[in-house]
Amino acid sequence: MAGTQWRVAVLYLTISLGAAPVGAADDPAKLFNDLYSAEARQVLASRDKADDVAFAAKVLEAARTITDAPAIQLYFAQKASDFAENAPEGYATAIDASRLIAQADSKQRPAMREKITKLARLSFIKATVADRAAVGAGLVKELSDAADEAREDGDAGEATAYLRQALSVATQLKLTEAAEIREKLEALTSAAAAQAKLRALQERLLVDANDKATAKAIVDLLVIEMNNPTDAIRPAERTGDATLAANVAIAAREVSSWTGPESLVMGDWYRALAGQAPAHAKRDMQERARVGYARFLFMHSENDASRTKASLFLRELEAALEDKPGPVVNTPTTPTTPTQPTTPEVKIIPPRVADLDVDADVTFDNTKAPYVITGTIRVIGKENVKLRVAPGVEIHGGKFNLQTKGGLVLQGEANKPIVFKNVEIIQDLHGSLNAKYTVFENCTFRKGGAWWSNWSSRWTFDHCLIHACKFPKLTEVDYGITITNCTITFMTFPDATGPLRHNLRKIDSCNFAGCSIPPSIVLTSQQCNYFGCTFVAGAKYKGKTAITADPYLFKSKGAPPQTLWTPVEEGAGAVTVTPSMRAYSNPKFPLKPNIAELRADRALVELLFD
């Protein structure tokens, strides 16, 4: 290990143990100068910009390891960015440093978004003819991601600007992403128009509080076009329509609180609203109606007319959401002669794949070497398409874009797990991932597409190892997750929003190690062990019901976690966290993975693997 790297490692351990000198811990600039001043002077004096890039990469790597001292991490990341920007070859490092800055300091997120996209544009401008398409695709991704972040932060104007830039580049390069970006842009434009219309209606209602027609128009706008029944409660009460007010109040509650009759009412109401909804809002209304009927059928076991009606309407909605003709309710059908069922052809994927469009079921079968994906595997079929991976298969690199029709099915076995390494998995509304006995290393799980509803993308992990992976966000709208019996290592989790214990927000019987954990993840999880994790501040609890958690904690890092869990929003239920005195007997991952960061730590291996 080089001298400087050794000193950084020793310093990191010292800070972690709480024994760092006060001056070093409190003054990031002094610490940086103590470690790097001589080398930094040499780099600045050199005319070779490759020295700047190499030095920036070294400082950034040090910044990534200093997770227990945010101020120091932030300063080191900024220094890495400053040096990396001195040469086009360093733009990628500067972008990575900017991402780390945004993670360490949420207030800098907008500035870092702008900086990242600026560097990506410069890379595109300076790219050679041979590299222009690949660099341009990278720029489009950065702009699209920036738009998603800006939308999440509530800045529709900034999101629209990023999407227009992305569309311009994607169209110029004739990228397939152009269609998706165009959809996102249209959805944002519709949302901005709805916001402007809402402001005008609200101002009219302020002039005349008894204007029932305006109140009804506000309710229609909020419920149908904006899919926001919560904010429609008070306007609905002003309409004088008791039935409408009651429906809005039910719709605003968590689905898990609906009774059987209420679920049927919601199915019927939203199905009717779908018939009058504009094109961009129709799917949201259909999805809510589908949820209502599905919950009714779950709660209502009696085989009566109500159940028959709900079943027929549910099939009709599921067919509509899949963009294929469904059964016509109350219309007799002509008997047909049964035909012999045919087995659909299943395609086999070659071991090295660039870009590939898939319109039918495919299988990644066993090969002697890992599959290497250098581009994007994209589902384009009009019917539901399954991408299946056989036990023992390894897949390295690339993207799986499931869009709205794809389901990625990873059914490994205890002694033959599937391995995904450096893979980005993208799914739109109605896509899904179901994984069992799968190792995910440095993977990204991303919600894509322009359409969204509650729990838009569905991610299910069971008996998996998830190492150093990334969920860009865990909003109620975009992500439904079910993680059970898993081993989760060295991940930084974003805050989870929405109901924290829901069948699509579930983390049970898992072992976490070396992770960064906000309160919402602790409050979501049940019977989980946390080994050497850092607990960070996050959003206050907003749920109306009281919630309890009983995590097992072992050698936690950073601030005492108990001080981070209890803050709640005004009017929210109480939070009670009582750490378990003993570790839970959660399943260990059955095999030691080929991941150096994990295998090198014998204590961690003993805790996490059989």
Side-chain angles (χ1 to χ4, degrees), residues 8 91 101 125 160 183 236 246 255 261 282 407 414 458 470 486 497 514:
V8 171
Y91 289 166
I101 293 168
I125 292 169
T160 300
E183 284 186 10
V255 173
K282 190 177 186 70
R458 308 291 173 89
K470 179 183 179 183
C486 289
T497 64

Side-chain angles (χ1 to χ4, degrees), residues 495-497 500 518-520 523 536-542 564-565 567-569:
D495 247 320
T497 64
L500 296 185
S520 57
L523 299 181
V536 298
K540 296 179 180 179
Y541 176 60
K542 298 179 181 179
L564 305 173
W565 295 331
V568 300
E569 292 279 1

Side-chain angles (χ1 to χ4, degrees), residues 131 264 336:
D131 294 337
L264 184 59
T336 56

Side-chain angles (χ1 to χ4, degrees), residues 221-242:
L221 186 63
L222 286 167
V223 170
I224 300 173
E225 293 195 46
M226 303 178 77
N227 196 14
N228 181 8
T230 302
D231 287 350
I233 292 176
R234 292 189 65 184
E237 292 169 352
R238 292 188 179 188
T239 63
D241 185 335

Side-chain angles (χ1 to χ4, degrees), residues 260-278:
E262 287 174 340
S263 300
L264 184 59
V265 167
M266 288 294 97
D268 289 342
W269 185 49
Y270 272 111
R271 180 172 174 272
L273 293 179
Q276 68 187 69

Side-chain angles (χ1 to χ4, degrees), residues 118-457:
K118 175 184 176 182
L119 290 168
R121 283 191 211 97
L122 288 172
S123 296
F124 180 57
I125 292 169
K126 296 176 182 291
T128 63
V129 174
D131 294 337
R132 186 172 176 78
V135 176
L139 171 58
V140 168
K141 180 181 181 302
E142 294 294 356
L143 290 166
S144 185
D145 289 349
D148 288 344
E149 266 195 20
R151 177 176 67 83
E152 184 183 342
D153 289 346
D155 193 335
E158 184 181 19
T160 300
Y162 282 129
L163 284 175
R164 284 175 176 158
Q165 295 169 45
L167 181 59
S168 175
V169 178
T171 303
Q172 176 186 343
L173 297 177
K174 298 181 180 179
L175 300 178
T176 56
E177 287 82 358
E180 179 183 324
I181 294 167
R182 192 175 288 108
E183 284 186 10
K184 283 186 176 183
L185 192 54
E186 289 171 358
L188 270 175
T189 302
S190 297
Q195 285 286 358
K197 185 177 178 181
L198 177 62
R199 285 193 294 271
L201 289 169
Q202 287 172 332
E203 289 174 3
R204 191 187 304 171
L205 196 60
L206 285 174
V207 175
D208 183 0
N210 297 316
D211 186 345
K212 294 180 180 180
T214 296
K216 175 64 165 57
I218 290 174
V219 172
D220 288 345
L221 186 63
L222 286 167
V223 170
I224 300 173
E225 293 195 46
M226 303 178 77
N227 196 14
N228 181 8
T230 302
D231 287 350
I233 292 176
R234 292 189 65 184
E237 292 169 352
R238 292 188 179 188
T239 63
D241 185 335
T243 300
L244 176 62
N247 286 349
V248 170
I250 296 169
R253 286 168 24 211
E254 293 182 13
V255 173
S256 59
S257 73
W258 293 354
T259 65
E262 287 174 340
S263 300
L264 184 59
V265 167
M266 288 294 97
D268 289 342
W269 185 49
Y270 272 111
R271 180 172 174 272
L273 293 179
Q276 68 187 69
H280 70 272
K282 190 177 186 70
R283 291 180 70 92
D284 286 339
M285 299 300 97
Q286 290 173 326
E287 174 63 20
R288 282 191 176 255
R290 185 197 66 78
V291 169
Y293 287 129
R295 179 164 177 78
F296 173 76
L297 293 173
F298 174 76
M299 301 185 71
H300 186 83
S301 58
E302 188 176 348
N303 192 15
D304 55 12
S306 294
R307 184 174 181 83
T308 300
K309 182 189 78 168
S311 297
L312 288 169
F313 284 151
L314 180 61
R315 290 169 57 200
E316 175 190 84
L317 287 161
E318 288 178 339
L321 288 166
E322 292 172 3
D323 293 329
K324 64 182 181 183
V328 179
V329 179
N330 295 330
T331 300
T333 57
T334 303
T336 56
T337 303
T339 57
Q340 186 69 23
T342 58
T343 302
E345 178 186 358
V346 178
K347 297 180 181 178
I348 305 298
I349 302 297
R352 191 169 186 90
V353 185
D355 290 325
L356 179 67
D357 288 341
V358 177
D359 60 1
D361 290 0
V362 299
T363 295
F364 290 79
D365 215 341
N366 276 300
T367 58
K368 293 182 180 179
Y371 287 87
V372 177
I373 314 296
T374 58
T376 300
I377 295 176
R378 179 179 288 100
V379 173
I380 61 170
K382 294 183 179 179
E383 303 293 333
N384 290 331
V385 173
K386 297 297 183 187
L387 281 64
R388 294 183 173 88
V389 180
V393 166
E394 287 196 29
I395 296 180
H396 295 183
K399 297 181 183 180
F400 284 74
N401 191 342
L402 306 177
Q403 303 206 92
T404 60
K405 303 298 179 186
L408 184 56
V409 182
L410 312 177
Q411 289 295 313
E413 297 172 359
N415 62 342
K416 292 175 66 177
I418 294 166
V419 175
F420 266 48
K421 185 174 182 178
N422 301 320
V423 178
E424 182 175 4
I425 302 169
I426 308 165
Q427 51 170 296
D428 300 1
L429 181 66
H430 306 308
S432 66
L433 175 142
N434 286 276
K436 187 169 185 177
Y437 288 118
T438 300
V439 176
F440 295 93
E441 181 183 354
N442 295 317
C443 294
T444 299
F445 310 118
R446 189 182 303 279
K447 161 68 173 72
W451 297 104
W452 59 83
S453 180
N454 279 14
W455 322 108
S456 299
S457 61

